[in-house]
Amino acid sequence: MTMNAISRSQIYVLDQDAALDFYVNTLGMEVNTDQDLGFMRWLTVNLPGDPEREILLEKPGPPALDPATAEQVRELLTKGALGGYLFMTTDDARKTHEDLVAKGVEITDEPTERPYGIDFGIRDPFGNRIRIGQMFPKA
């Protein structure tokens, strides 16, 4: 058996509607799936043109977490002590940075040239950290 792709990643968000607004309207992603499963809302987004790689915007709670644990996760997320990481690439890190600054996105790290490319950091409204990089061609 050989695995051949990462199809979904998950991050916790406190409000799925606010997350949808941020990831779609601010970052430019697309809604992949928005379905009420009864026991939870399955809400995924993806980068345009890449529907095979989804990000699940999951609200802490059942079925994955019992109520007490979900409350602890919400508290840690609110404090910025528990957040996921997302890594994305762009063709122009400095221009993408300018666009996100103009949209009022929280910047955690300014664009910096590194051995692998130019990257910078942002944070979503829930404390999740996002790195956006313009990668140099591999030698």
Side-chain angles (χ1 to χ4, degrees):
M1 172 172 72
T2 302
M3 290 175 251
N4 60 15
I6 296 173
S7 62
R8 279 170 211 86
S9 299
Q10 175 272 359
I11 57 172
Y12 284 122
V13 298
L14 298 176
D15 179 320
Q16 287 177 307
D17 290 325
L20 191 61
D21 180 58
F22 178 79
Y23 282 91
V24 172
N25 297 325
T26 303
L27 295 187
M29 294 187 173
E30 300 172 337
V31 175
N32 187 300
T33 305
D34 188 353
Q35 186 168 6
D36 182 355
L37 300 178
F39 56 89
M40 72 177 286
R41 179 181 179 190
W42 187 265
L43 177 61
T44 67
V45 294
N46 59 266
L47 291 170
D50 195 8
E52 299 302 315
R53 295 187 185 136
E54 303 170 65
I55 302 167
L56 173 63
L57 305 174
E58 184 177 5
K59 193 171 176 181
L65 303 173
D66 63 73
T69 304
E71 180 57 32
Q72 290 174 327
V73 168
R74 285 190 293 275
E75 287 176 20
L76 289 170
L77 191 58
T78 300
K79 291 178 182 179
L82 173 80
Y85 254 110
L86 296 174
F87 299 88
M88 295 177 233
T89 59
T90 181
D91 292 332
D92 188 336
R94 296 188 194 286
K95 174 72 171 113
T96 301
H97 172 265
E98 289 173 15
D99 292 346
L100 294 176
V101 166
K103 292 179 177 181
V105 173
E106 180 184 353
I107 305 297
T108 60
D109 189 19
E110 295 294 322
T112 303
E113 188 164 326
R114 304 182 191 281
Y116 52 83
I118 301 167
D119 80 342
F120 65 98
I122 67 173
R123 191 178 345 260
D124 78 3
F126 313 101
N128 294 297
R129 296 171 298 260
I130 301 170
R131 300 294 306 178
I132 301 172
Q134 175 185 340
M135 302 295 104
F136 294 146
K138 292 183 180 179

